[in-house]
Amino acid sequence: MISVHLWINICVNENHIEYLDARNPGATYLWDNNYNGRIRTVTQSGTYHVAVTNSFGCTSYDTISVTLKQNPKSALGADTSVCIDQEITLDAGRDGQSYYWNTGTNQSTLTTKNPGEYIVFITGRNGCIYTDTITV
């Protein structure tokens, strides 16, 4: 009997699906929720267990701890157009703890009259960073 403990600790967007692969094609599988497929999908943090039995009847056990941390959300919206010399305020929302724009601004909003591509890096309270881009 072999027992292995693995970890997944990642930042994800809303509705993320993580795939846990028990590997060993041709074996039989029994997950902690009685699912018997090789690949299990999970959508929330937790500890998951699987027993894998090969064609010789040998069984190994595996445990994986999954931590899915939510990325901050952006309210930046879709690309946009404005009239020449018209000012526009780009708003990345209020979900982050800190903000950094490719222009050097570190606020959640950026006001500009210049056309171009604007990129914002939003850092959440959990340390996850989400990047969003808008073209004006």
Side-chain angles (χ1 to χ4, degrees), residues 115-136:
E117 183 176 75
Y118 294 89
I119 304 168
V120 63
F121 301 87
I122 306 169
T123 304
R125 287 162 184 70
N126 59 6
C128 293
I129 300 172
Y130 182 77
T131 305
D132 200 0
T133 303
I134 187 169
T135 300
V136 177

Side-chain angles (χ1 to χ4, degrees), residues 8-131:
I8 294 175
N9 185 353
I10 57 174
C11 297
V12 298
N13 292 329
E14 195 172 22
N15 300 318
H16 175 80
I17 298 173
E18 190 66 25
Y19 297 89
L20 307 180
D21 187 345
R23 304 183 192 228
N24 303 294
T28 58
Y29 313 92
L30 182 60
W31 291 87
D32 53 84
N33 66 346
N34 291 320
Y35 174 65
N36 62 4
R38 175 180 155 181
I39 298 174
R40 179 177 176 180
T41 60
V42 296
T43 57
Q44 56 188 329
S45 298
T47 301
Y48 302 91
H49 309 278
V50 65
V52 180
T53 304
N54 68 17
S55 60
F56 301 106
C58 300
T59 302
S60 292
Y61 300 89
D62 201 353
T63 300
I64 187 163
S65 294
V66 176
T67 303
L68 303 176
K69 299 182 292 185
Q70 291 296 310
N71 280 322
K73 295 177 184 155
S74 172
L76 198 51
D79 293 350
T80 189
S81 297
V82 293
C83 295
I84 295 174
D85 289 328
Q86 182 180 350
E87 199 169 74
I88 184 170
T89 299
L90 307 175
D91 189 346
R94 303 288 180 271
D95 198 37
Q97 180 175 351
S98 66
Y99 301 83
Y100 180 79
W101 294 82
N102 62 329
T103 62
T105 300
N106 61 1
Q107 302 298 316
S108 62
T109 61
L110 169 71
T111 301
T112 185
K113 288 184 179 182
N114 301 320
E117 183 176 75
Y118 294 89
I119 304 168
V120 63
F121 301 87
I122 306 169
T123 304
R125 287 162 184 70
N126 59 6
C128 293
I129 300 172
Y130 182 77
T131 305

